[in-house]
Amino acid sequence: MLFSPFDTKHASLVAGWPVTAAEALMWCGLREFPVTERTVTAWQREQDVTAYVLLAHEQPVAYGELWPDAEEDEVELARIIVAPGARGRGLGRRLVRDLLAEARRTGLSESCMRVHPHNTAALRCYRGAGFEPVDATSAAAWNAGQPVDYTWLRHGHA
């Protein structure tokens, strides 16, 4: 397994990983389904977004992004997904650990993530990787203006 920067030549493959509209919504917050190659490619042009993949035999099997925010002294992990045929084998947790290692290299104090409240598999994965829920006051403040009341998680880099 190799942790590597994302190459847009794999955008179409990654875009096809959510197998239902509900899964696409929980993955990236979009009501667009199927997710398009153009959408995944456009994410790569967003300022302060760096995408990574886990590769098995030179093919992506998991995808995730880091969104550093120096003002908040944190890195948000985002848009994490594992290829349908590779799920249930610990690859999500492996990707999250690799993303956390990369987040530590930024020098920012902690990592956070927002998770759709119905995405129980993702919540189990992230908790297993050491993330903990934020306090209710912070979650309420961070959910102001969000399309759903996300479950917010935090991981210190100590």
Side-chain angles (χ1 to χ4, degrees), residues 3-6 14 17 27 43-44 49-54 61-67 76-82 95-96 99 126:
F3 180 72
S4 177
F6 177 73
V14 171
W17 287 350
W27 169 42
W43 293 339
Q44 311 317 304
V49 172
T50 307
Y52 297 90
V53 290
L54 274 183
V61 292
Y63 171 93
E65 297 173 355
L66 294 179
W67 301 352
E76 186 171 349
L77 280 67
R79 298 184 187 131
I80 295 168
I81 191 167
V82 174
L95 176 65
V96 168
L99 288 169
Y126 306 146

Side-chain angles (χ1 to χ4, degrees), residues 6-157:
F6 177 73
D7 187 321
T8 56
K9 72 181 181 186
H10 298 298
S12 179
L13 178 68
V14 171
W17 287 350
V19 296
T20 66
E23 189 175 325
L25 181 67
M26 286 190 288
W27 169 42
C28 60
L30 294 178
R31 298 200 182 279
E32 163 192 347
F33 186 78
V35 177
T36 66
E37 175 181 1
R38 175 179 279 175
T39 296
V40 176
T41 300
W43 293 339
Q44 311 317 304
R45 293 188 297 270
E46 293 177 6
Q47 188 175 359
D48 296 327
V49 172
T50 307
Y52 297 90
V53 290
L54 274 183
L55 300 170
H57 309 292
E58 300 181 23
Q59 288 298 308
V61 292
Y63 171 93
E65 297 173 355
L66 294 179
W67 301 352
D69 184 339
E71 187 175 306
E72 295 293 329
D73 196 24
E74 67 187 20
V75 179
E76 186 171 349
L77 280 67
R79 298 184 187 131
I80 295 168
I81 191 167
V82 174
R87 294 177 185 167
R89 301 193 317 224
L91 296 178
R93 190 173 299 173
R94 164 77 188 269
L95 176 65
V96 168
R97 288 182 178 145
D98 288 345
L99 288 169
L100 283 169
E102 199 63 32
R104 282 185 201 95
R105 288 182 187 80
T106 67
L108 299 173
S109 294
E110 63 184 17
S111 292
C112 66
M113 59 187 352
R114 65 187 98 182
V115 184
H116 194 284
H118 300 300
N119 196 343
T120 56
L123 287 166
R124 189 171 42 254
C125 171
Y126 306 146
R127 295 292 305 267
F131 278 85
E132 295 292 333
V134 303
D135 62 90
T137 303
S138 294
W142 296 350
N143 276 322
Q146 296 292 336
V148 298
D149 283 340
Y150 290 107
T151 299
W152 288 87
L153 303 171
R154 178 178 282 156
H155 189 287
H157 292 171

